[in-house]
Amino acid sequence: MKHRIVVLGAGYAGAYAAGTLARRLSPADAEVTVVNAERDFVQRLRLHQLAAGQEIEAPKLADVFAGTGIGLRLARVTAVDPERQVVSVADADGGGELGYDTLVYALGSHGADHGVPGVAEHAFDVAGRPSAMRLRERLDSLEEKGGAGTVVVVGDGLTGIETATEIAESRPGLSVSLIARGELGAPLSTGARGHLRRACDRLGITVWEHTVVEAVEATRVMCAGGTVLASDATVWTAGFAVTPIAAMSGLEVNQNGRIVVDHTMRSVSHPNVYAAGDSAYAIGDNGQPLPMSCASAGYTGRQAVDAIVGRLTGREITHTKLEYVGNHLSLGRRDGILQMVDGEGQAKPKYVGGRKAARIKAGIVRMSLWAIAHPTFGLPKRKHRLAAAPNLPAERTAA
C-alpha cells in the first residue's frame, strides 16, 4: 500500500511542498494529494493590486500540478482528526474524508478583526481573492458615482501600507487615509520612514498616527478619543489569524492557534503532521518566531519537505536556514522600500528606496509565481524509494 501524503492548502507553502514531494518521492511508494478550496493559485502578495483595479495572474492548480502525479481535491477543509489520521472536507458533492499517513498543514491565514465591533460586517480586506474582489467592486462603484469617495485603511503593517499606496495611485479621484496604531512605519529605519512619509504625501494619503480604532460602521470609523472618520470603504489590514481547525483537532498550538513545530516543521504533539507557512509556529535561527510572510512560507515549506523525504527514505535531513532577512514593500507601481534587518530582526540603518526598490519587489513577485508554476524545476529526476520502515525515531540530521 502506498504512503499517503495529504497537503492542506495550495498557497506559497503548500503548492511548493506538494510539487517538490511528488518529484522527490517514487510514485511506486508514495502518493501526494492536495486539498484546496479554490481551483486557481492565489498570488496573495499581489491582492492589494487586484483590489486597486489591476489584473494579476491566477494559474489553474490543475495546470500547475500537471505531469507531477499529484492528486488535486477542490474542497474546503472542515476538520482534522490526527488520531484517526483523516481530514474532513466539504465540496459541491457533499464532501467526505481523506485518510493520510503524513499530513502537511498549510492552510495559511486570514484577516484578524481582534474583536473590534463592526469589522466583520462593514470592513473589506485583501487577505483572500474573494474579499479583494469585493473591495475592488466597491471602489469601482465609488468611481462610477463621481470618484469622490473616501477610503480608510486601518493598519500600517506591510499590507496596510501597500494597500493604501496602491489604491491612492491607481484611483487618484478617491480620498485615502491610513490609520497607524503607533508611528507610521515604526519597524523601518529612520531613512526608510522618511521615504514612506514622502510617498504618502506625494500620493495624497492622510496619515493618522497613534490612533486606535474602536468600531467600524457602514459609513464611518470610530476612533479612541472621539475622532470619527467618514469612510465609504474601510479596509481592515490590522493583522492576520489562522483558522481554528488545528486547535480544534487536538494538535498542540500556540495561543494564536498556530501549530507548534520543531526545527524540522514537525508537530511536537503528532509526529506524522507537519506545518508550513502561516499555519506553523516556528522558531527561527535567531530564537524569535518566524513572522507570517511569503518568505517564511518558503523556508518552512522547504524544511518540511526535506524532513519528510529524509524520514521516509532513511536519508539525512538537511537543515534549512530559518531566517528573516528583510522587508520588501511596494508604494504603488513606481516606488518601494527594501529594508534589510539584522539577526535580531531590527532594521539596519541603510535601505533601498524608489524605482530600484520597486523593481526588486516586482522581481521577487515574478520569481515567486514562476517557482509555484514550475514546482519541480531544478530538482533531480531520480525519485527516492521509501525505506522499509519509515518514520523511525532514530534519524540523521545534518548540522
Side-chain angles (χ1 to χ4, degrees), residues 190-258:
T190 301
R193 287 199 300 273
H195 186 101
L196 173 57
R197 288 182 183 279
R198 291 190 294 274
C200 289
D201 290 342
R202 171 175 55 81
L203 293 168
I205 298 172
T206 301
V207 178
W208 294 82
E209 295 181 284
H210 307 288
T211 301
V212 177
V213 174
E214 293 187 331
V216 175
E217 298 181 355
T219 59
R220 59 183 185 171
V221 176
M222 316 298 289
C223 304
T227 300
V228 179
L229 303 179
S231 178
D232 295 307
T234 301
V235 189
W236 191 264
T237 66
F240 298 96
V242 298
T243 69
I245 292 175
M248 294 172 63
S249 73
L251 292 165
E252 184 170 336
V253 299
N254 74 340
Q255 67 274 18
N256 297 319
R258 300 168 71 189

Side-chain angles (χ1 to χ4, degrees), residues 157-168:
L158 302 186
T159 302
I161 291 171
E162 291 193 325
T163 301
T165 54
E166 201 74 48
I167 292 174

